[in-house]
Amino acid sequence: SIFLHEMGHIIALYFLKLPPRRVNFRLCGIEIVESRLYCGYSAQLAVAASGPMINILFGLILLPFSNMSFVAIISATNIVIGVFNLLPLSQLDGGEILYCLMSAVLPENKCKKISSAEALCCIYQNKVLPSTYSPLFSTGAPSNVTFAFCGI
């Protein structure tokens, strides 16, 4: 599921003619270093959305065959990972999608302030509910937190 998710991002980069410069494997996921620093918000949105959409689509394709418990687990895992990554948190793909959408209507400095405020809310929740949020948001690395979600 995680490999499929990250491959969705990489395929989108190649489709947009923005092949990654390198792919780094991290403890909390995979960091994809893009070949260009700026490729436009619409391209960033497409790349960010491609990972969760691949998971959700794959999970939905498997759903009719979910009468077998193993297939049901794979289907549910993919759907959950896809939906989880769509949460509008800056550490997840949903945060990147939200930032790109906000950038279409707001100045960049306001988008950064809103993203910073969201990050502070996560830090606050990390202090209030450390057992829940600690494994997800305490890494400090700009990488995917899907591994932490799955407990891997």
Side-chain angles (χ1 to χ4, degrees):
S1 297
I2 295 165
F3 176 77
L4 192 64
H5 177 95
E6 299 303 338
M7 286 306 298
H9 293 305
I10 293 171
I11 290 168
L13 285 168
Y14 276 103
F15 183 77
L16 294 168
K17 296 181 178 38
L18 300 165
R21 193 166 19 138
R22 71 178 180 272
V23 177
N24 298 324
F25 293 89
R26 307 260 184 204
L27 179 62
C28 291
I30 298 173
E31 177 189 18
I32 300 169
V33 180
E34 297 176 18
S35 58
R36 297 183 197 164
L37 290 177
Y38 179 76
C39 60
Y41 291 119
S42 59
Q44 279 182 274
L45 187 133
V47 170
S50 63
M53 289 300 114
I54 289 288
N55 282 121
I56 292 169
L57 187 64
F58 186 66
L60 291 175
I61 288 170
L62 290 179
L63 205 53
F65 307 102
S66 63
N67 56 350
M68 297 180 297
S69 62
F70 181 71
V71 176
I73 291 169
I74 292 173
S75 175
T77 300
N78 274 283
I79 292 170
V80 168
I81 287 174
V83 171
F84 177 79
N85 273 284
L86 286 174
L87 290 173
L89 302 173
S90 59
Q91 297 89 347
L92 301 173
D93 295 323
E96 182 74 18
I97 293 167
L98 180 62
Y99 185 85
C100 292
L101 292 172
M102 287 189 308
S103 297
V105 294
L106 296 172
E108 189 172 350
N109 63 340
K110 285 198 179 202
C111 295
K112 286 182 181 179
K113 284 181 184 178
I114 292 170
S115 293
S116 297
E118 175 267 320
L120 287 175
C121 289
C122 284
I123 291 168
Y124 173 74
Q125 287 181 337
N126 193 16
K127 299 297 182 208
V128 173
L129 302 168
S131 61
T132 305
Y133 292 95
S134 197
L136 296 176
F137 304 114
S138 63
T139 62
S143 58
N144 194 331
V145 295
T146 309
F147 282 146
F149 171 69
C150 293
I152 296 175

